[in-house]
Amino acid sequence: MPLPPSKYPFFYRKMPQYGFKRGFCVVFATRPYEIKVSISVFRMFLMSRAPKNPTTGNPGNPYIEDTILLEKQVEQVKAPSMYKVLLLNDDYTPMEFVVMVIQEYFNKDHETATRIMLQVHLVGKGVCGIFTRDVAATKVHQVIELSREAGHPLQCTMEEA
């Protein structure tokens, strides 16, 4: 069938190398300057379907590249550094107040709180708990604030475990 005079075919053939195995590809343009644009767009399309590297890819169909999987890098999360919260001995803070502070802020039962208080009294310092840095700093601040409000010179510190 002859083409109308206003239509310009610019590509008309089988293209098995680009994946067109059945049929033909025909593109028409109505004006001559549209041919250049259409040809360049069509060439970009053909290049995108062309094999990228003949040495790699699927040997059954070289037009489809294999997917390369990268190994997952396992992220090692470092455990947070832990800090000991220590109560320091003084001669003026009552033992009952120290037991109450340990029970209230460190969630210890009466017997455990009494043991920690005796360790503070006899050794000079006692470990009330081991926490992360932020939690330990908060507990130290709370204990010192409560002892100042009550008028006692009880000291509380933290050191790395």
Side-chain angles (χ1 to χ4, degrees):
M1 174 175 161
L3 299 173
S6 62
K7 304 283 184 181
Y8 302 98
F10 68 89
F11 208 91
Y12 186 82
R13 67 185 180 108
K14 281 188 178 182
M15 296 175 291
Q17 70 272 22
Y18 297 113
F20 295 109
K21 295 182 179 167
R22 300 184 192 134
F24 297 88
C25 179
V26 179
V27 177
F28 294 99
T30 57
R31 295 179 187 87
Y33 65 86
E34 290 178 351
I35 293 176
K36 290 181 183 178
V37 174
S38 300
I39 289 175
S40 63
V41 170
F42 194 70
R43 282 185 183 153
M44 289 188 325
F45 169 73
L46 293 178
M47 288 188 324
S48 70
R49 296 199 32 108
K52 305 292 188 259
N53 187 352
T55 59
T56 63
N58 189 347
N61 188 354
Y63 306 105
I64 300 174
E65 291 188 10
D66 286 337
T67 303
I68 298 172
L69 295 177
L70 300 176
E71 293 182 20
K72 271 190 172 180
Q73 294 180 354
V74 179
E75 294 182 16
Q76 297 292 331
V77 179
K78 183 180 171 187
S81 56
M82 304 301 278
Y83 289 82
K84 293 187 232 177
V85 177
L86 304 168
L87 283 178
L88 303 178
N89 187 30
D90 64 73
D91 294 334
Y92 302 103
T93 305
M95 293 182 178
E96 295 80 18
F97 181 78
V98 175
V99 171
M100 186 270 302
V101 166
I102 294 169
Q103 286 178 329
E104 186 175 335
Y105 290 109
F106 299 100
N107 299 323
K108 305 290 184 183
D109 58 75
H110 186 71
E111 184 179 329
T112 308
T114 305
R115 278 194 212 142
I116 294 171
M117 180 271 303
L118 287 174
Q119 184 181 11
V120 170
H121 182 67
L122 297 174
V123 178
K125 64 181 178 179
V127 178
C128 296
I130 299 176
F131 307 97
T132 59
R133 182 174 180 237
D134 294 337
V135 175
T138 302
K139 291 198 181 279
V140 166
H141 177 70
Q142 289 173 336
V143 168
I144 291 174
E145 188 175 302
L146 180 68
S147 66
R148 295 303 170 262
E149 287 175 7
H152 300 299
L154 181 65
Q155 289 294 314
C156 187
T157 61
M158 65 184 223
E159 66 181 34
E160 199 162 353

